């Protein structure tokens, strides 16, 4: 801290004198670093976790062993509780995960003993397993219904060239028909046939045979190519 002991000589021109406020501005003491600035300057130490971990997942409370959360090394939960990342705690000291905890119990049951959820919760638990990157659980869920049927369906559709393009065209025709009839929905009959493989984009079959008859009062025939 610098202390000014001298006094300026008073002259006839007031501009020549330095005011006390100017002197204070020139010799201000450096500001004390704030707590946040001090925290940023210091590296965070690895976070330590107890053997029994209390959890708050979106307002739902769970308790499990630390080894359960670390069961599979390449999962998000193992990374979170590895000590390399900081996890906030709630007012009761529970480690907080900002995620809907409705199906987190099913995640813990699989990590504990490999238990799988009932069929009605498979899709929802699968979504949570994707978020937490639990590969073994994803593989297990894909082998049971309804995900197994969806997996087979997607594999079948992968064998059908231009399926998505054709589906969009079919929907366009259905919308047009519903608008013409002022109806809430429309029915279409679609014939699917097999082509020789492989098929090139220039050999893509057209929907020449995809058509629908209008009402008897209308004589025109709608075709989609």
């Amino acid at each position: 801290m610098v202390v000014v002991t001298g006094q300026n000589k008073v002259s006839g021109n007031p501009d020549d004198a330095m005011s006390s406020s100017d002197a204070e501005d020139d010799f201000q003491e450096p500001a004390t670093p704030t707590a946040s600035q001090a925290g940023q300057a210091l590296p965070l130490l690895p976070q330590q976790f107890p053997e029994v971990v209390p959890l708050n997942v979106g307002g739902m409370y769970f308790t499990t062993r630390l080894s359960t959360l670390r069961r599979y090394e390449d999962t998000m939960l193992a990374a979170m509780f590895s000590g390399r990342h900081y996890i906030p705690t709630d007012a009761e000291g529970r480690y907080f995960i900002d995620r809907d905890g409705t199906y987190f119990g099913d995640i813990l049951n699989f990590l504990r003993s490999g238990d799988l959820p009932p069929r009605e919760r498979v899709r929802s638990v699968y979504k949570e397993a994707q978020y937490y990157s639990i590969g073994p659980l994803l593989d297990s869920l894909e082998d049971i219904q309804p995900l197994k049927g969806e997996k087979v369906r997607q594999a079948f559709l992968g064998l059908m060239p231009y399926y998505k393009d054709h589906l969009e065209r079919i929907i366009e025709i259905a919308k047009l028909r519903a608008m013409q009839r002022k109806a809430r929905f429309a029915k279409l009959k679609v014939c699917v046939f097999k082509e020789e493989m492989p098929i090139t984009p220039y050999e893509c079959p057209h929907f020449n045979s995809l058509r629908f008859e209008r009402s008897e009062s209308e004589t025109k025939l709608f075709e989609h190519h």
Side-chain angles (χ1 to χ4, degrees):
M1 182 176 180
V2 180
V3 180
V4 181
T5 57
Q7 296 181 354
N8 295 326
K9 183 179 180 180
V10 179
S11 60
N13 188 355
D15 294 336
D16 294 337
M18 180 184 294
S19 65
S20 59
S21 61
D22 293 338
E24 292 176 358
D25 291 340
D26 290 341
F27 299 100
Q28 283 184 349
E29 184 179 359
T32 303
T34 61
S36 60
Q37 292 173 338
Q40 293 175 358
L42 297 177
L44 293 177
L45 298 176
Q47 192 170 12
Q48 301 295 326
F49 298 100
E51 182 63 25
V52 178
V53 182
L55 299 171
N56 178 349
V57 184
M60 301 183 66
Y61 306 141
F62 303 89
T63 304
T64 188
R65 293 175 62 92
L66 181 62
S67 59
T68 299
L69 298 172
R70 296 176 176 177
R71 182 169 300 277
Y72 299 104
E73 295 181 355
D74 56 348
T75 65
M76 179 179 175
L77 288 173
M80 292 173 62
F81 290 90
S82 64
R84 301 189 304 268
H85 308 281
Y86 174 75
I87 302 179
T89 57
D90 62 11
E92 302 298 329
R94 305 182 187 93
Y95 294 98
F96 180 73
I97 300 176
D98 193 11
R99 181 77 176 176
D100 187 357
T102 303
Y103 304 101
F104 191 77
D106 294 302
I107 298 294
L108 287 181
N109 288 336
F110 177 80
L111 295 177
R112 288 164 176 158
S113 54
D115 293 342
L116 296 177
R119 180 173 179 176
E120 62 270 15
R121 295 207 300 267
V122 166
R123 292 185 183 276
S124 299
V125 176
Y126 186 84
K127 183 178 180 181
E128 294 303 299
Q130 287 180 314
Y131 176 79
Y132 293 110
S133 302
I134 307 176
L137 178 54
L138 293 173
D139 294 338
S140 299
L141 294 176
E142 288 176 354
D143 289 336
I144 61 178
Q145 294 292 359
L147 294 182
K148 184 176 182 179
E150 182 65 22
K151 186 177 181 180
V152 173
R153 177 177 178 272
Q154 292 298 330
F156 171 75
L157 294 180
L159 299 175
M160 300 179 62
Y162 318 109
Y163 168 76
K164 292 184 178 180
D165 294 338
H166 291 165
L167 181 60
E168 292 177 358
R169 295 175 184 177
I170 293 172
I171 294 175
E172 290 176 1
I173 297 173
K175 287 182 178 180
L176 179 60
R177 183 174 185 179
M179 292 174 60
Q180 290 173 342
R181 295 190 174 186
K182 298 180 180 180
R184 296 178 61 185
F185 63 91
K187 286 185 177 181
L188 295 180
K189 292 182 179 180
V190 181
C191 178
V192 180
F193 57 92
K194 185 176 181 180
E195 288 282 336
E196 293 294 332
M197 300 295 288
I199 188 170
T200 67
Y202 300 100
E203 298 170 334
C204 177
H206 296 292
F207 277 106
N208 291 326
S209 60
L210 183 60
R211 59 182 66 184
F212 62 86
E213 297 288 347
R214 297 187 180 182
S215 61
E216 296 180 356
S217 61
E218 299 175 335
T219 58
K220 294 183 179 180
L221 180 68
F222 179 89
E223 294 186 6
H224 181 80
H225 300 277

